[in-house]
Amino acid sequence: MWSRCSIAGVGDVNDDGYADFVVGEVTDTTKGMLAGRVDVYFGGASLDATPDVVMYGRPNELFGWAVCGPGDLNGDGFPDIAVGTLDRNLENNVYAYFGGPTFDALPDLVIKRIPGAGFYGWMLAGAGDVDGDGRQDLIACQSSHAEVLGVYPDEMIELYGGELWVVGERQEVRWRGHDLADLYVSLDGGATYELLASAVGGLEENAIMVNAPPNPTRAARVRLTYAGQSPGLST
């Protein structure tokens, strides 16, 4: 089974005078398959390995894919925590937890995925006070390209900026752009490509169903190009 962990310093979220940090583990199954979890560790003179607050995601949400300490988002004087997801159904949310002496595991703000934004929130970062309102701001990045995939028998595994696929199952590739595109798959890390579909798409938001490779591999790639273009040059 694969594993992915994220970690970030978040400042003194519980207002005890010590800096804290968070660790995300997306493969945690406490709340279901690939639900994920985030552990919050409060700093102190007797820091230990037991998390002080634990947050959980929903099944297949990969909660904790991204974590960050963006600063004081709501202007109450306490630093906050932001958590991103990589929901395989593209129902991604970004969760914000406001700091304070009674810090807990319930999100204070849920930012819903913007339609067409792909894997919204798969990267997070504090942005400082962009609009000059005295509160810190948050950057939530998206990944919408179908570039890299991995497949294993009967389980989802990590992809680098792409989809999560299961061996032999029908999967949906989504992308944005009005140009017609060709869709290719490679099973050898991009050394060679096989054409799956030609001259598809052409809408603002596009989708096509394909079969995942029949055998487990870490070397699979999916690539979209402009129609008629070599798969060695991605769009």
Side-chain angles (χ1 to χ4, degrees), residues 43-119:
S46 58
L47 180 67
D48 57 43
T50 302
D52 296 281
V53 175
V54 180
M55 310 158 178
Y56 294 102
R58 304 169 301 174
N60 291 317
E61 189 175 37
L62 282 83
F63 179 81
W65 182 269
V67 295
C68 85
D72 182 11
L73 296 174
N74 62 332
D76 63 357
F78 305 106
D80 307 316
I81 294 174
V83 178
T85 64
L86 195 73
D87 193 304
R88 69 188 301 261
N89 297 314
L90 288 179
E91 297 175 357
N92 303 67
N93 295 322
V94 173
Y95 300 90
Y97 300 80
F98 298 153
T102 58
F103 181 83
D104 58 38
L106 299 176
D108 297 284
L109 175 66
V110 180
I111 306 171
K112 298 289 187 179
R113 169 182 172 268
I114 301 170
F119 291 109

Side-chain angles (χ1 to χ4, degrees), residues 131-214:
D131 57 353
D133 65 355
R135 293 186 290 268
Q136 300 299 296
D137 304 316
L138 175 68
I139 296 174
C141 302
Q142 63 139 328
S143 172
S144 60
H145 62 85
E147 174 65 19
V148 181
L149 65 91
V151 283
Y152 269 69
D154 304 320
E155 66 181 55
M156 281 73 68
I157 71 160
E158 178 180 3
L159 309 183
Y160 182 74
E163 258 288 1
L164 303 177
W165 285 8
V166 182
V167 165
E169 287 194 3
R170 293 281 287 173
Q171 304 290 340
E172 186 177 50
V173 177
R174 303 181 187 183
W175 71 98
R176 302 183 69 188
H178 291 288
D179 296 293
L180 292 177
D182 294 340
L183 177 65
Y184 293 85
V185 65
S186 170
L187 301 180
D188 53 15
T192 61
Y193 282 91
E194 175 186 352
L195 180 65
L196 293 181
S198 61
V200 292
L203 304 175
E204 175 62 26
E205 296 190 18
N206 306 277
I208 188 172
M209 299 298 296
V210 298
N211 290 320

Side-chain angles (χ1 to χ4, degrees), residues 2 5 8 27 32 39 49 68 71 75-76 128 147 173 189 217:
W2 65 281
C5 185
T27 55
D39 296 332
C68 85
D76 63 357
E147 174 65 19
V173 177
T217 177

